[in-house]
Structure formats: structure tokens, C-alpha cells
Amino acid sequence: MKFLRTIHAEDMEDIATGGAILGTGGGGDPYVGKLMAQQAIKQYGPVNLVDIDELPDDALVVPVCMMGAPTVMTEKLPQGEELINAFRALEQLLGRKIDAVLCGEAGGVNSTTPFVVAAMAGLPLVDGDGMGRAYPELQMVTFTMHGVSATPMVLCDDKGNSLVLETVSNAWTERLARAATVEMGGSALLAFYSMSGAVAKKAIVRGTLTLCSELGRTLREAKAGHVDPVNAIVDKLEADVIFHGRIKDIERRTVGGFARGTARFEGVEEWKGHSFRLDFQNEFLMAERDGEIIVTTPDLITVLDAESGLPVTADALRYGLRLKALAMPSNPQWLTPAGIELVGPRYFGYDTDYREYFAR
Amino acid sequence: MKFLRTIHAEDMEDIATGGAILGTGGGGDPYVGKLMAQQAIKQYGPVNLVDIDELPDDALVVPVCMMGAPTVMTEKLPQGEELINAFRALEQLLGRKIDAVLCGEAGGVNSTTPFVVAAMAGLPLVDGDGMGRAYPELQMVTFTMHGVSATPMVLCDDKGNSLVLETVSNAWTERLARAATVEMGGSALLAFYSMSGAVAKKAIVRGTLTLCSELGRTLREAKAGHVDPVNAIVDKLEADVIFHGRIKDIERRTVGGFARGTARFEGVEEWKGHSFRLDFQNEFLMAERDGEIIVTTPDLITVLDAESGLPVTADALRYGLRLKALAMPSNPQWLTPAGIELVGPRYFGYDTDYREYFAR
């Protein structure tokens, strides 16, 4: 098998930074996952990143993820063992050796968690994921649109509890796994959406782990080369700066394991005199400028520190922070009717249709 | 194997009535379970009741139960298929044929649900259970005190979802199964606490299905023979009438899947001028007379219609009903320190120790 690249412990820095950008404010802090991945790579060896086309059609591919509210996750450092436990238990249940690890969600902490399993299991990691970003619910993956069942799914906690789910739909998997995760203390590790190489070739969002790595490198190099880091990211992503401002007000609440809220900004410099509002449910899902909705999910909204260009999570938003908000086009799979039904603004309870920001 | 008795569809009437008496106000309405059991017996044949001593020490014995809040369960008639699905899935997981079905809880709906599985699987049903009554949480079984693990446990709903739990304690099984049950719409079917014949001989409360049957027959015969039905039950159970009164006030709320509340009574006839209070969390757990606590869990408190002697669930308590409250001694296993820790008044949040009512 030809590998794209071999990922060493030090490469995880860029991937985690890029994962935070694709995290669009949510997906959990990649810092924790980065530490776990670095630890696993040091102990078990580097991870080979592979293009999905390198895998045979009959290969068995399994995504792994951490589930939970970012606000809880930061207080509770998970161990790599739980991830590999879920993975091994699913392998045993399927009765067949798994050939490659897949990333479920390339945004946030889950951009790094698959490296833990790939290192520990000595398996290649597919360059891609099921979202091209972060989303708060586990049926919100392109896999769902390709008829891949989330179950059998194995879910483990840090105490030694585990459960195997078999459900009638991926939405039911989300409901039952969420209830278990909340009960387990707010975070859990899971292996699910097992699929063949043939299905994965159609169902994944390709190249997202390489993209994470390049985004991280772009920021790092901009800093070293005294280039404006936000502009460097904008160029790399074909993104748009949609606002530059200071937070003047922030409301948040945790509902059923999700961090929900609204942040309001007042413009500075080129946006002085303008207002901006961000709505989030773990991730940033809707942006309003001067009272008008301009960007909605599934397009990506991410927020960077105006000076350092470092991504800021919804959880880290604080009164007075000066930030730049970016819009980035989503993977086209999300713009189909099935995609909009899964992750469009109405699913999240916003009374608006998808707002097209990017001419395509 | 020598059987104690063969249970036909018509025998389920007495068992369900007796199950409602041992339900101590909770455990779910046995009417639903009775219908399911009668249906299964008609379709698959009668059920052989067996004394636990008839089973070999290396026999595999598996209890089945319905889980959920009685207030929800009455609106949602479960199918026998879900029970047998959980049972068969656990059998497959254990990799060994199950030799006998066991009753988890002889009070309420679960006094009848094991008959459904025994009939469908063509297996003997052990005469006994894990409580000798009803209790609201699934770690509250004598099995727990004998070191039997509730897991592996299979839990199924009526939609086709299922989960397999492996937990570090029976209290964790309760937490995770409860969360799943609430999410599944309030009720679920489960197979758990698999154990050997040798362990079951020590761990079960013996003879409780026969007791259910005899309690039902006692009430039925009292009615036919124009004997006072409440007195007939009192004689049969070595119970005491602790109050006779009318409900003057009732408070209830549903918290985390449990029906909780308090009922207040004013005395009539021999108890005229006295007051009485019942606290329940699904089951009646504490009785106060004239402001003094007189009976607490684990002793059984049950409430009968003063005229018909029919048991009344906490859910059916209404302003103005004239009722007689009975106290019955619990199985001695519950009066050990481990038993009191599992089901004593303090576990349920009452600020009182177990109150000894019966001289032993």
C-alpha cells in the first residue's frame, strides 16, 4: 500500500490547529486529542496516512470518535485505552479484522482521536472524514446519506462501562448514545459506521486530514514569516472574512449535553459601525450581519483571533475579544436535499432556509 | 425435571392480582403483562413452574423484566417479541443455551412478563424472584447482594432498537439502562443477571410466583364466599392493617422516569380521627400514622380497596378513595446491612433509618 505521508508526534501540532479551524467553534478542544495522539505515536510508532483509493473495495474501514459536550470534555481527560477498547470490541463483534481507521469528524478533538487508534492498532488512517468540519450529532455524517448504518456501535466510558447499540436509524443511534454519554459524565468514546472500502470511496469527505495539516502549517509559517495569519488562512481556504469586531455580549446555556448560545459583536476598523451575531450549538451555525442572515450551516463559520489567527471555540468566546469571522464553503454533499435535511438551519431549530453565500 | 405446577392462560388472572399486591403500589400495572402472558400461553403452550432446587447447579438461569415508569407504560402496550428478542440476544451473547427463565421482580407487571418468555421459549420458569416485591431500580435485587452482575444485559425497545450493556457495577447498569429507557419513550424490555443454578439457589427469593397465585386465589375465593377480602389477604400474608381511611390530598411528580409523590389520608371507622401519610417512588416506601413513621422499606406497604380488597397502585390513588393500608414483612435478605444499603429509606432520600414494625 502506498502511503500519502507518515505522521510523527510533532506533526500533530499542525493537525490539531487545522482541526480547530474546521471545528467551526465546536467539536471539542483538539488540545486534549493532540496530547493523546502524541503519546500514542511515541509509544506505538507513527501513523501512515492513506488515500481512500489505495484501499481494496472489500477492505473493512471503521471510524472512531469522542462524543460529548466540549464544556464537559475539558475537565475530563480521556485515555487512549477507551478509544482502542471501543475499536477492538467492534472488531470482535464484526468478526473480522479491521483494515483501516477513519476519522468521523475532521473538526475539533476528533481530528486527532483517530491517530490514537491508528497508532495503537498499527493500522493506516484514511485521509478524509464524514463531515469536512465538526457537527454536534452523530447522524450528521455524509455516511448517513450513503445508507451506512451507525450501528453496530460500541461506546465506552472512562470507568469501564461499555454498550453496544443496534438501532433502526442513525438518528436513534444519536439519541441513545447521547443519553448514555450524558449519564456517563458527559463524554464517551465510540467506534461505529463500519463500512467497506467501496462505500468509503463514495461516502467520505476526502483529504480533510491533509487539509487540517496544511491549515496548521499555514498559520505557523505566517507567524514565522510575519505575514497576516488571518489573510494566509483566507487564501488557503478560499474563505471570506465576514466580520471583524469585538464581543459585546454573550449568552450561553447547556441543553441535553450541548453548549448553545449567541454571541453579539460590534465592528472595528473596516467594520466599524456594523453589528454581527453568531448562533452556536457546539458549532457556529448561523451568522447575521447588521440584522441580516448572511451565512448558515452547512457552510462553515469559523472565528479567528484577529491578531494571532488562532481559532477560537464557541466555548472560549469572552466579552471584549477582538475576532475575525470567516465563512468557508461546505463540502457539496451537504448541499443536496438530504444534506440540508440532516444539517440545514431548520434541523437546528432556526426558522430560516439555507442561505447561499458562495457562488458555485 | 419435576414441575411444581403447570400454568395455563386462565391461571394468569390470580398471578396478576397477587403480583399487584406484592407490587406495593408500583412495578407497573400487571394487567398489560397478564394479557401478554395469556396471549403467549395460548399461542405457545402452558408454562411449567419449577422449584429452584430441581435445577442442576450448572444450569444457566436468566431473569427478564420490563423497565419503565408505570405512568408511561399504560399508554404503550409492549409486544412479547421484544422480551424474547432481549432473551435470545443474551443467549447468543453468552454462547450457551439458557435452561430456565427467572422472574426479576414478582411485584407489578414483572410478575407476569417472565411467563411470556417461558411460554415462547418453551422453558421452565423458576418459582421465585429477585425482590419478593417490586422496587424501582434494577440493582435492587437480592442477586446484587450475592455478587451477581446485571451485565451483560440486553435491552430492547418496541421500535427495533437494542443495546448490550457491560458495566462496572449494577448501579451503573441502572443509570445507563434508565437513561436509554427514558430516551426510548419510557419503557424497555430486558434480559440480565444471568447466573448458574447454584447461585440462584442462594440468591433468589423463593416461592414468590406461587405466593402471587395464592394471593389472587384468596381474593377471588373471598369474593365468591362473601368473606371480607382484606381480612383474607391479611391472614394469608401474616400482614397487619395499619390504616383505614380516605385520601384527602395527593401530590405527584415524575422525576427521571419515576412517579414520586405523597398521599395523605383521614381515618374512617376504627381509625376515625387519625391521619395517615404514604410516600411513594413508584412503590409505597414509607407510612406515617398520626405524624409518626411506622413502616418503611424494605417492609412491604400495600394498599387495598377497603371493600373489594383489590390492590391499588400509587398511580391510581385519587381524592376520596376509601382504602386499607397493609404492612407485610420483607424477605429477611433485605434486612441485612447490604440490603438496607440497597433499598433502605436513606437510599430513597428519606431522612430516617429502617423502622422495625414486625417483631422477628
Side-chain angles (χ1 to χ4, degrees):
Chain A
M1 197 184 294
K2 209 181 70 191
F3 301 123
L4 285 170
R5 254 179 95 196
T6 300
I7 307 292
H8 298 274
E10 60 273 22
D11 301 321
M12 292 310 305
E13 297 285 348
D14 285 350
I15 293 170
T17 305
I21 294 173
L22 294 189
T24 62
D29 188 344
Y31 179 75
V32 170
K34 181 189 75 179
L35 292 184
M36 285 167 67
Q38 288 178 327
Q39 170 93 7
I41 289 172
K42 279 177 193 160
Q43 197 171 344
Y44 299 93
V47 171
N48 291 313
L49 212 56
V50 66
D51 189 276
I52 188 67
D53 287 333
E54 287 291 317
L55 290 179
D57 279 356
D58 65 352
L60 179 58
V61 185
V62 169
V64 293
C65 264
M66 187 180 298
M67 183 169 196
T71 46
V72 174
M73 221 181 272
T74 49
E75 293 156 24
K76 219 177 139 221
L77 191 70
Q79 303 298 312
E81 280 69 29
E82 298 141 31
L83 268 170
I84 194 81
N85 284 349
F87 187 78
R88 288 295 184 215
L90 183 59
E91 187 168 53
Q92 203 181 349
L93 200 67
L94 296 171
R96 209 192 122 180
K97 201 189 162 309
I98 298 170
D99 300 299
V101 180
L102 183 55
C103 175
E105 172 181 42
V109 65
N110 285 317
S111 60
T112 50
T113 49
F115 289 90
V116 179
V117 174
M120 290 177 90
L123 288 176
L125 174 62
V126 175
D127 186 15
D129 77 313
M131 299 184 182
R133 52 169 295 165
Y135 269 127
E137 298 185 358
L138 58 74
Q139 79 280 15
M140 298 175 168
V141 281
T142 48
F143 315 146
T144 298
M145 293 191 280
H146 291 269
V148 184
S149 172
T151 64
M153 179 181 107
V154 180
L155 191 151
C156 296
D157 72 6
D158 57 349
K159 289 165 276 290
N161 298 306
S162 74
L163 53 92
V164 178
L165 278 170
E166 284 283 1
T167 63
V168 291
S169 70
N170 295 348
W172 268 107
T173 314
E174 160 64 27
R175 286 181 63 170
L176 296 174
R178 184 73 50 190
T181 299
V182 169
E183 203 60 42
M184 283 167 164
S187 78
L189 293 304
L190 37 105
F192 58 165
Y193 285 107
S194 57
M195 66 187 95
S196 69
V199 170
K201 284 167 197 175
K202 289 183 235 163
I204 71 167
V205 178
R206 291 174 177 232
T208 41
L209 295 180
T210 293
L211 177 60
C212 285
S213 174
E214 290 177 358
L215 288 171
R217 198 187 60 202
T218 300
L219 261 193
R220 182 168 45 83
E221 291 178 350
K223 202 174 169 185
H226 308 288
V227 175
D228 179 80
V230 176
N231 287 346
I233 291 293
V234 164
D235 290 346
K236 178 78 212 162
L237 279 171
E238 302 172 40
D240 244 8
V241 176
I242 52 174
F243 204 71
H244 181 189
R246 268 186 210 285
I247 299 181
K248 63 172 184 181
D249 179 52
I250 177 123
E251 277 170 51
R252 57 176 100 237
R253 54 200 188 282
T254 300
V255 183
F258 292 114
R260 296 191 178 177
T262 301
R264 290 180 182 80
F265 295 71
E266 55 188 5
V268 298
E269 297 179 18
E270 69 277 28
W271 288 103
K272 198 169 167 68
H274 296 270
S275 70
F276 184 69
R277 169 189 165 132
L278 269 181
D279 282 284
F280 53 91
Q281 295 186 24
N282 284 16
E283 285 71 39
F284 301 124
L285 296 176
M286 198 162 65
E288 262 182 53
R289 198 171 54 207
D290 297 329
E292 193 198 347
I293 297 166
I294 51 167
V295 186
T296 67
T297 172
D299 284 332
L300 287 73
I301 302 162
T302 205
V303 168
L304 305 179
D305 179 85
E307 283 185 23
S308 69
L310 287 171
V312 177
T313 61
D315 206 44
L317 296 180
R318 295 287 178 272
Y319 176 82
L321 285 182
R322 186 163 67 85
L323 304 167
K324 286 183 175 176
L326 271 60
M328 304 173 257
S330 85
N331 184 276
Q333 295 196 53
W334 288 127
L335 301 183
T336 59
I340 295 295
E341 198 181 322
L342 270 178
V343 299
R346 295 200 184 274
Y347 180 87
F348 293 98
Y350 301 118
D351 187 24
T352 181
D353 289 322
Y354 166 63
R355 194 63 55 104
E356 197 172 46
Y357 180 86
F358 297 93
R360 285 173 214 250
Chain B
M1 198 185 292
K2 208 180 69 191
F3 300 123
L4 286 169
R5 253 178 95 194
T6 300
I7 307 292
H8 298 274
E10 60 272 21
D11 300 322
M12 293 309 304
E13 296 285 349
D14 285 349
I15 292 170
T17 305
I21 294 174
L22 294 189
T24 62
D29 188 344
Y31 179 74
V32 170
K34 180 189 76 179
L35 294 184
M36 288 167 66
Q38 287 178 327
Q39 170 93 6
I41 289 172
K42 278 176 193 158
Q43 198 172 341
Y44 300 92
V47 171
N48 290 313
L49 212 58
V50 66
D51 189 276
I52 188 66
D53 287 332
E54 286 292 315
L55 291 178
D57 279 355
D58 65 351
L60 178 58
V61 184
V62 169
V64 291
C65 265
M66 186 180 298
M67 184 169 194
T71 46
V72 173
M73 222 181 271
T74 50
E75 292 156 25
K76 218 176 139 223
L77 192 69
Q79 303 297 313
E81 280 69 28
E82 298 141 30
L83 268 171
I84 194 81
N85 285 348
F87 187 80
R88 288 295 184 216
L90 183 58
E91 186 167 53
Q92 203 180 349
L93 199 70
L94 296 171
R96 210 192 121 178
K97 200 186 163 311
I98 298 171
D99 299 297
V101 181
L102 183 56
C103 175
E105 173 182 41
V109 65
N110 285 317
S111 60
T112 49
T113 48
F115 288 90
V116 179
V117 173
M120 290 176 90
L123 288 176
L125 175 60
V126 174
D127 186 14
D129 76 312
M131 298 183 182
R133 51 170 295 164
Y135 269 126
E137 298 185 359
L138 59 73
Q139 79 279 16
M140 297 174 169
V141 280
T142 47
F143 315 147
T144 299
M145 292 191 280
H146 292 268
V148 183
S149 171
T151 64
M153 179 181 105
V154 180
L155 190 151
C156 296
D157 72 7
D158 57 349
K159 290 165 275 290
N161 298 307
S162 74
L163 53 91
V164 179
L165 278 170
E166 284 282 1
T167 63
V168 291
S169 69
N170 295 347
W172 267 107
T173 315
E174 160 65 26
R175 286 181 64 169
L176 296 174
R178 183 73 50 190
T181 299
V182 169
E183 204 59 43
M184 283 167 164
S187 77
L189 292 303
L190 37 103
F192 58 166
Y193 285 107
S194 57
M195 66 186 95
S196 68
V199 170
K201 283 167 199 175
K202 289 183 235 164
I204 71 167
V205 178
R206 291 176 177 229
T208 41
L209 295 180
T210 293
L211 177 61
C212 284
S213 173
E214 289 177 359
L215 287 171
R217 197 186 62 201
T218 300
L219 261 194
R220 182 167 45 81
E221 290 179 350
K223 201 175 172 185
H226 307 289
V227 174
D228 180 78
V230 175
N231 288 345
I233 291 293
V234 165
D235 290 347
K236 178 78 212 163
L237 279 170
E238 302 172 37
D240 244 8
V241 176
I242 52 174
F243 203 71
H244 181 190
R246 268 186 209 286
I247 300 181
K248 62 172 185 180
D249 179 51
I250 177 123
E251 276 169 53
R252 58 176 99 237
R253 55 199 188 282
T254 300
V255 183
F258 293 113
R260 295 192 178 176
T262 301
R264 288 180 184 80
F265 295 70
E266 55 187 5
V268 299
E269 297 179 17
E270 70 277 29
W271 288 102
K272 197 167 166 67
H274 296 269
S275 71
F276 185 68
R277 168 189 165 132
L278 269 181
D279 281 283
F280 53 92
Q281 295 187 23
N282 285 16
E283 286 72 39
F284 302 125
L285 295 176
M286 198 161 66
E288 260 181 55
R289 197 170 55 206
D290 297 330
E292 193 198 348
I293 297 166
I294 50 166
V295 186
T296 67
T297 172
D299 285 332
L300 286 73
I301 302 162
T302 205
V303 167
L304 305 179
D305 180 86
E307 282 186 22
S308 70
L310 287 172
V312 176
T313 62
D315 207 43
L317 296 179
R318 296 288 178 270
Y319 176 84
L321 285 182
R322 186 163 67 85
L323 304 168
K324 285 182 174 175
L326 270 62
M328 302 174 259
S330 84
N331 183 277
Q333 295 196 52
W334 288 127
L335 301 183
T336 58
I340 294 296
E341 199 180 323
L342 270 178
V343 298
R346 295 202 183 272
Y347 180 87
F348 293 98
Y350 301 118
D351 186 24
T352 181
D353 289 322
Y354 165 64
R355 193 64 53 105
E356 196 172 48
Y357 180 87
F358 296 94
R360 287 174 213 249

